[in-house]
Amino acid sequence: MTSTIDVGHAAYFAFRDRLLGDLRTTILTDEQLCEAGRLIYGDPNGLSLYGIAAPDMAAKRITLLGRTVIECSIDAYTAPVADALAQLQAGTEPEGPDPDNPLIVDLFCGSGNFGYHLGQRLTRPVHASELDPAVYGTTRNNLDRIGSAITLQLTDYRHLLGQLPARSTHDTYVVEPPWGPAFTADGLDLTRTSPPVPEILDDIRRSRDGLSCHIAIKTNDQIAHDSLTRSFAGVRYLRRITPEPCLPHGANMDFHLYELHA
Ligand SMILES: C[S@@+](CC[C@H](N)C(=O)[O-])C[C@H]1O[C@@H](n2cnc3c(N)ncnc32)[C@H](O)[C@@H]1O
């Protein structure tokens, strides 16, 4: 017998395929945004970015592409991560050439909502890079609408890293590359994201001139081939933040904070 939950999940996976397929770079309608909130988070208001829930986005002229709706980290997830990071950083004295002026760098900006919450909570400027011109365009529009001071560039994350020398051991990098083929039936393989997470960590290390920093990363709740541990080998694990699951195992989100020694 097929349960109501199974039917709901089948609808989620079908909608997910559309958002990453034919609707990938299409601006979603109000109805589609609310439907995404309902199917992914169980409530239209669950899809909420920059403190604005899906039913209010049109009135505030917030626009989202299909891919970003699937890839984004919502308010309910990023705010607790920002709280956890603030707590960890409050407990350690920063060091470095500009210790009290740390960087927040959202390397794979997407909606920019992760950087937005870190910047708000830690009261620091945010630098962000986004490579897809369509995502950049909608995010640029949204950041302007909400009056955000995030400095967003249409560029590759390596270019942004090259512009931002290390300042403080409290510098924080958000690492959320697209999953693409890394998202498999066996779970998420972080060595197969594009680019692979170990490669991104090496790029960050190279930009740090020997100074440690903090890393925030999102995964799902089913990691394949021990790839999180393998990607972060030798990196200090700080904290895991696990939002209430809404979807079947493998489709829910987890967040992890690390201290990367260069
Ligand atoms: C998983 S999404 C990020 C989601 C984001 N954290 C949010 O909350 O909306 C990954 C984003 O990285 C962008 N991207 C992919 N490769 C990139 C690169 N080399 N440099 C910068 N951005 C890149 C993609 O276009 C996509 O928008």
Side-chain angles (χ1 to χ4, degrees):
M1 192 182 80
T2 309
S3 72
T4 316
I5 291 174
D6 291 337
V7 170
H9 288 159
Y12 159 73
F13 284 112
F15 196 49
R16 182 183 195 280
D17 285 347
R18 283 206 68 202
L19 293 178
L20 292 176
D22 62 308
L23 295 174
R24 185 174 178 82
T25 52
T26 301
I27 292 180
L28 299 193
T29 63
D30 307 359
E31 291 74 28
Q32 286 168 327
L33 290 173
C34 290
E35 180 71 345
R38 197 177 62 73
L39 290 175
I40 305 170
Y41 306 107
D43 176 354
N45 292 292
L47 176 63
S48 179
L49 301 177
Y50 331 111
I52 303 170
D56 302 324
M57 284 181 181
K60 303 239 161 99
R61 291 160 66 206
I62 297 298
T63 53
L64 294 175
L65 303 179
R67 68 172 294 186
T68 305
V69 164
I70 283 296
E71 294 178 330
C72 69
S73 294
I74 57 169
D75 295 338
Y77 295 172
T78 48
V81 178
D83 283 344
L85 186 68
Q87 192 189 47
L88 287 163
Q89 294 194 345
T92 59
E93 204 54 48
E95 293 170 21
D98 196 359
D100 298 320
N101 189 23
L103 295 164
I104 295 174
V105 192
D106 196 346
L107 292 172
F108 302 86
C109 176
S111 68
N113 196 46
F114 209 142
Y116 169 80
H117 279 276
L118 292 184
Q120 294 275 107
R121 181 66 180 82
L122 300 166
T123 56
R124 289 186 216 150
V126 179
H127 301 264
S129 43
E130 171 55 52
L131 196 56
D132 180 335
V135 176
Y136 170 85
T138 49
T139 299
R140 184 64 275 159
N141 165 73
N142 295 341
L143 297 177
D144 291 344
R145 297 278 163 257
I146 60 168
S148 166
I150 293 178
T151 305
L152 172 61
Q153 294 185 46
L154 174 61
T155 193
D156 185 273
Y157 77 99
R158 284 161 281 226
H159 182 69
L160 184 63
L161 283 175
Q163 293 176 349
L164 297 171
R167 292 182 188 168
S168 166
T169 50
H170 284 183
D171 292 345
T172 301
Y173 299 81
V174 181
V175 175
E176 281 197 9
W179 291 353
F183 187 60
T184 70
D186 292 337
L188 178 67
D189 185 341
L190 293 153
T191 66
R192 294 183 61 203
T193 55
S194 44
V197 169
E199 196 177 302
I200 302 166
L201 296 180
D202 281 345
D203 290 329
I204 296 173
R205 267 193 205 94
R206 271 194 292 275
S207 78
R208 297 291 305 163
D209 201 23
L211 205 63
S212 69
C213 62
H214 288 139
I215 305 285
I217 185 167
K218 174 174 77 183
T219 66
N220 69 351
D221 56 350
Q222 186 188 6
I223 306 288
H225 318 306
D226 206 22
S227 60
L228 183 65
T229 309
R230 289 194 294 117
S231 297
F232 283 84
V235 183
R236 186 167 163 235
Y237 195 72
L238 296 175
R239 196 166 296 179
R240 173 185 183 138
I241 297 99
T242 302
E244 193 65 35
C246 316
L247 291 165
H249 182 58
N252 299 292
M253 300 302 139
D254 271 340
F255 293 82
H256 312 264
L257 294 173
Y258 287 89
E259 183 179 47
L260 180 76
H261 285 272

